[in-house]
Amino acid sequence: MLESVRIRLTLWYVGVLALVLVVLAFATYLILRESTVKRADSNLAELADGFLTTLQAETKDESGPDALKRGALQAIAEHRFRDYFYAVLDSTDAVVVSSRDLPSVTPTASPEESYRILDSDFLRKLVQSSSRSDRVFQNLRGERGGYRGYVRPFAENGQTYTLVVLQSLHPQKEMYGYFLARKSLAPVVAMSTQAGRIGAATLHERLPVQNEKDELGHLARSFNHLLDRLDQSFDRQRRFMADASHELRTPVAILRGEAEVALARPDRTPEEYRESLAVLRAESQRLTHIVEDLFTLARADAGQYPLSPHDFYLDELVADCTHTTRTLALAKRITLNCDAAQELPIHADEALLRRMILNLLDNAIKYTPEGGSVSVACRREGGEYALSIADTGPGIPVELQPHIFERFFRADKARTHAESDGGGAGLGLSIARWIAEAHHGRLELARSDATGSTFAAYLPAKSAVSAVAVR
Ligand code: ADP
């Protein structure tokens, strides 16, 4: 009951509001039309005044049967405006002269084209109906919106004539439509103008949102969000390029410097040459490594890194990686433990997972002082596999922890590249994290303090890995 009253009330409100809006729109339209018609009429009267003044001036000193015709033609030529038509008729309502008698200046059809219907018959009827009804202004049907006509009798040399001035209503009709369309499309025009201005260099600019709540506002906001994402992505790309070229410059400079030193003195011993070549090899290996990492990240960013997933055992891969890094650990007298006893079948890209585990193991060994220990563990935890790599290194300062997965981030920037610890470009952890995410998993720093750090990777045990890793 209450519901139906409420619904009826709402319907009434909506109905009344709609009616008010329609009446308002109609009244606006009428007022607009009325004012344009008034303006057009006074314009026509003014034109007629001007026309007659010119005509009188032209015929003042002239006489003869053609004097009026020549003067009128001159007046038509002088008052010739686009969309206006003049005709002078004599007392028998025969056309003496009209705009048609004037050679067309413009080869384009309009408005001369529409003069076609304005023949003597048409003009005669107009003048007759005007004198009958005493209406000097009239609306006339015709092509392209019709005409507004003004009929004015005048005397010249004792004879009565009638001047007819016609204005094509086509531009006004167009204007109404244009006005209405323009009003509602104004925000779209503003948006597209602004959108056209936004380029790679001005990606921080945004579209104007005139009304948050309507569809256009929604469109503008969606577009702005798109620009936000593009802007961020451009920014990342720019930073990536700048950092990458910076990282590549150093090893290239070392390579060139070492080669120049080796070539500078002719009397070098074979041992010295071997030493130089060893440096060149180590540095070019490092360079290759960085280039490969950059290539991986660039392809990952473009969502174009093809994954080749297959079935294998994660525990075996973990054991294999630990075995591979054994010599590195041994060189630093680091104890390396591996606890991956269970059988852990997985469907994943083995080469990429190997790279992730080796990156983590390399870091653990690299940052742990001599005599420390590194422990790798892998087990099933619910629907996922948890892989942890713990070391007894110095830990990562708390304020730097949020940044270690960023590209090119190195906690100890002062460490030189040529050092024997093989300091990387700060890309290892970004790549490792991307690999985990490409497998719908994650990589985190689980713990880091003065007693050491633990990195933990979680991978879905039953992952539906797609063929292309998309970030
Ligand atoms: P890098 O090539 O410098 O090793 P990574 O992306 O692998 O680059 O690591 C980024 C930074 O994180 C390193 O420079 C280091 O400061 C810190 N880090 C990574 N792993 C460890 C760890 N096991 N112990 C201490 N610090 C670490």
Side-chain angles (χ1 to χ4, degrees):
M1 168 72 185
L2 205 66
E3 274 295 289
S4 77
V5 169
R6 196 162 17 166
I7 287 171
R8 244 184 309 155
L9 258 179
T10 312
L11 284 177
W12 265 105
Y13 279 140
V14 171
V16 168
L17 198 70
L19 195 72
V20 168
L21 281 178
V22 168
V23 169
L24 208 68
F26 192 64
T28 313
Y29 173 76
L30 285 184
I31 291 169
L32 179 71
R33 210 181 65 163
E34 186 65 24
S35 79
T36 16
V37 165
K38 267 207 187 114
R39 203 150 11 106
D41 288 353
S42 70
N43 213 6
L44 281 172
E46 262 174 39
L47 272 179
D49 283 346
F51 184 94
L52 291 179
T53 313
T54 312
L55 179 70
Q56 268 155 17
E58 291 292 328
T59 53
K60 201 166 55 182
D61 307 324
E62 296 218 21
S63 57
D66 277 347
L68 181 109
K69 189 170 177 171
R70 274 203 306 278
L73 208 57
Q74 184 62 31
I76 293 178
E78 272 184 35
H79 297 269
R80 182 188 175 117
F81 297 110
R82 217 184 126 82
D83 299 317
Y84 286 91
F85 178 91
Y86 300 91
V88 175
L89 288 82
D90 63 17
S91 50
T92 64
D93 293 338
V95 178
V96 181
V97 67
S98 81
S99 290
R100 280 179 161 199
D101 301 323
L102 210 68
S104 167
V105 202
T106 46
T108 49
S110 173
E112 280 78 4
E113 175 204 47
S114 46
Y115 289 175
R116 264 185 294 123
I117 63 145
L118 305 174
D119 57 14
S120 351
D121 233 28
F122 177 90
L123 293 166
R124 191 177 319 116
K125 276 187 204 147
L126 169 65
V127 170
Q128 284 167 359
S129 89
S130 162
S131 64
R132 259 201 317 275
S133 62
D134 238 5
R135 273 191 305 150
V136 289
F137 292 107
Q138 288 188 53
N139 270 346
L140 306 161
R141 281 177 206 280
E143 306 173 341
R144 313 196 326 139
Y147 299 87
R148 183 79 179 160
Y150 177 52
V151 177
R152 172 144 162 201
F154 67 96
E156 186 70 40
N157 272 341
Q159 298 240 23
T160 48
Y161 294 94
T162 315
L163 167 67
V164 175
V165 189
L166 295 172
Q167 181 190 0
S168 166
L169 292 178
H170 181 64
Q172 282 176 24
K173 287 265 152 64
E174 264 192 340
M175 204 255 294
Y176 295 144
Y178 180 69
F179 180 76
L180 291 173
R182 202 184 132 95
K183 205 68 203 133
S184 50
L185 291 178
V188 180
V189 174
M191 272 163 62
S192 65
T193 312
Q194 175 67 1
R197 262 206 300 268
I198 298 175
T202 49
L203 258 186
H204 52 277
E205 289 185 17
R206 294 292 173 265
L207 294 190
V209 183
Q210 297 193 342
N211 184 355
E212 287 261 342
K213 295 199 175 76
D214 70 6
E215 286 80 0
L216 286 178
H218 188 76
L219 178 69
R221 262 185 307 141
S222 307
F223 201 87
N224 284 344
H225 287 152
L226 171 73
L227 285 173
D228 283 346
R229 292 197 295 276
L230 273 178
D231 198 12
Q232 282 165 12
S233 142
F234 256 66
D235 230 37
R236 262 208 312 270
Q237 216 65 23
R238 265 195 289 266
R239 218 166 344 129
F240 186 59
M241 290 299 290
D243 289 343
S245 34
H246 177 80
E247 283 305 322
L248 292 175
R249 250 206 313 263
T250 318
V252 169
I254 293 172
L255 280 178
R256 212 187 46 221
E258 193 62 38
E260 274 166 7
V261 169
L263 291 170
R265 263 183 23 221
D267 54 342
R268 287 197 148 213
T269 62
E271 286 70 38
E272 282 173 326
Y273 279 124
R274 287 187 70 83
E275 235 170 70
S276 285
L277 284 172
V279 172
L280 290 181
R281 185 177 61 184
E283 209 50 42
S284 52
Q285 268 168 357
R286 225 180 74 78
L287 193 57
T288 310
H289 196 71
I290 295 176
V291 170
E292 270 170 10
D293 282 356
L294 287 175
F295 190 51
T296 303
L297 284 172
R299 283 213 290 173
D301 277 354
Q304 282 171 352
Y305 199 102
L307 291 196
S308 322
H310 71 109
D311 291 319
F312 62 96
Y313 287 96
L314 185 61
D315 49 294
E316 284 178 8
L317 177 67
V318 171
D320 197 35
C321 290
T322 317
H323 190 74
T324 309
T325 43
R326 197 185 67 246
T327 23
L328 268 182
L330 219 64
K332 285 180 82 175
R333 291 191 294 109
I334 288 174
T335 326
L336 196 55
N337 302 309
C338 180
D339 172 19
Q342 291 165 278
E343 275 197 355
L344 307 171
I346 193 168
H347 182 76
D349 186 316
E350 189 174 359
L352 280 183
L353 284 194
R354 179 185 298 273
R355 196 157 162 194
M356 177 185 86
I357 300 166
L358 284 180
N359 275 357
L360 295 173
L361 268 172
D362 272 350
N363 276 352
I365 296 168
K366 193 159 71 184
Y367 297 111
T368 300
E370 293 213 1
S373 74
V374 171
S375 315
V376 187
C378 191
R379 62 185 172 280
R380 194 183 181 116
E381 273 182 15
E384 54 190 14
Y385 295 135
L387 168 73
S388 70
I389 293 166
D391 61 51
T392 57
I396 300 159
V398 181
E399 68 278 12
L400 300 182
Q401 288 178 12
H403 303 290
I404 54 167
F405 291 100
E406 287 170 15
R407 293 169 185 193
F408 301 105
F409 181 83
R410 285 192 308 260
D412 184 6
K413 289 259 188 317
R415 202 182 58 225
T416 66
H417 294 288
E419 260 184 79
S420 55
D421 67 358
L427 294 173
L429 283 180
S430 336
I431 292 181
R433 176 168 265 184
W434 167 72
I435 293 172
E437 286 170 0
H439 285 84
H440 307 295
R442 59 197 194 280
L443 173 64
E444 294 162 1
L445 174 64
R447 171 196 71 99
S448 192
D449 50 38
T451 62
S453 314
T454 306
F455 283 87
Y458 299 92
L459 299 166
K462 285 234 170 332
S463 67
V465 178
S466 49
V468 176
V470 182
R471 265 176 85 90

